[in-house]
Amino acid sequence: MAKGKVRRRARKILGEEPVALVWCEIHKPIPAPPKDVHRAAGKGRLKSRHHWLWYVGAVVFFFVVVPMILLDGLGRRLDQRLSGRSRDGRTGQPSPPDTQRSGRGRSRERDRGQDPTNGVFDGDWNLTAGRLLLRWYGYSPSPKRLVMLTRDRICVAASPRRRLSPTKADDFRTVTEFTLDQARIDGEAGQPRGYATFRLAFADGSWLELGRLGEPEDADHFLRTVSG
């Protein structure tokens, strides 16, 4: 369960003991909103800020690892062609395209094209979930949010830090909250750990899906609570 620091901080900002709480994230990239909607909302960030080590790793990957992979692949293709010529004196004929596989690929692309939100939210930027998404990274550069349930509220908290430990964070603050007639949590107990998700569903019909639930015991207790 959440460590003492987290629970003490939660009690302090809520004014009562939380019924359940869990750290979570938007587990897929936020889709791009229409430019006029984004501009009207202040053009806030739609991605989390990466630690500087992430950028170092990206540079190393693109300028060291990728060239090595390309060179290795080129060397293998040359070896295959040379060995083929040595066997029969002819260059290998290209294999016919796998039409079934390419068909499946096109089908997946069509499916993705039909869901521009990628399952992140309901798709209406003017409703509650869409407006919350537009402000998501304005609350904190970290993608992690602490969702806390009380007897009559759903509270979402964030830490001002870019990096935090979900078991030790003690500087988070409430960034938005909803009464139970404004929002509810839709989730199922017994989901596989590491893949569990839940939806924050609003009275106007909009919804936002959250995943990457932190602390397995907190996640299990949270999902049991909302599914009961």
Side-chain angles (χ1 to χ4, degrees):
M1 298 295 286
K3 301 298 183 183
K5 283 186 177 181
V6 176
R7 300 200 71 88
R8 284 194 296 271
R9 177 65 177 170
R11 284 195 300 269
K12 180 178 180 180
I13 65 178
L14 293 173
E16 60 182 294
E17 185 74 25
V19 174
L21 54 78
V22 68
W23 287 99
C24 56
E25 302 179 22
I26 297 175
H27 61 301
K28 299 175 183 178
I30 295 178
K35 291 183 178 179
D36 58 335
V37 172
H38 194 198
R39 189 183 310 110
K43 299 185 70 172
R45 294 181 63 87
L46 299 174
K47 297 179 181 179
S48 63
R49 297 176 183 174
H50 296 294
H51 191 270
W52 65 270
L53 286 175
W54 185 92
Y55 295 102
V56 172
V59 170
V60 171
F61 179 80
F62 283 109
F63 290 97
V64 178
V65 178
V66 170
M68 291 178 64
I69 294 174
L70 293 175
L71 288 173
D72 181 65
L74 180 61
R76 290 183 180 182
R77 293 181 67 179
L78 288 173
D79 288 342
Q80 289 172 354
R81 289 197 173 191
L82 291 174
S83 62
R85 287 176 177 175
S86 64
R87 283 196 303 269
D88 57 15
R90 297 192 305 272
T91 58
Q93 297 297 319
S95 59
D98 188 338
T99 55
Q100 184 177 3
R101 184 180 302 173
S102 62
R104 288 197 300 267
R106 286 194 296 270
S107 176
R108 286 195 295 269
E109 290 173 3
R110 283 196 299 269
D111 291 342
R112 287 196 295 268
Q114 291 172 359
D115 183 14
T117 69
N118 196 25
V120 173
F121 78 123
D122 60 280
D124 193 330
W125 293 98
N126 296 310
L127 297 181
T128 305
R131 295 197 300 269
L132 182 59
L133 270 182
L134 291 168
R135 303 193 304 269
W136 191 263
Y137 290 111
Y139 294 134
S140 169
S142 169
K144 298 184 184 299
R145 299 290 180 270
L146 182 65
V147 175
M148 302 174 288
L149 306 182
T150 72
R151 289 168 293 181
D152 58 0
R153 291 174 292 161
I154 298 172
C155 301
V156 181
S159 168
R161 288 182 288 176
R162 182 186 308 162
R163 295 175 63 84
L164 60 88
S165 169
T167 61
K168 300 178 181 178
D170 59 358
D171 61 350
F172 54 87
R173 61 186 185 277
T174 300
V175 294
T176 188
E177 65 177 54
F178 305 94
T179 60
L180 296 186
D181 62 347
Q182 294 175 320
R184 70 179 188 277
I185 301 291
D186 291 337
E188 297 181 2
Q191 296 183 60
R193 287 185 172 179
Y195 297 94
T197 62
F198 66 87
R199 283 187 175 182
L200 187 53
F202 301 98
D204 60 8
S206 64
W207 53 265
L208 174 64
E209 186 168 278
L210 299 167
R212 295 180 185 168
L213 310 188
E215 294 304 293
E217 292 183 6
D218 286 336
D220 291 344
H221 175 67
F222 185 90
L223 292 172
R224 284 197 304 269
T225 300
V226 300
S227 64

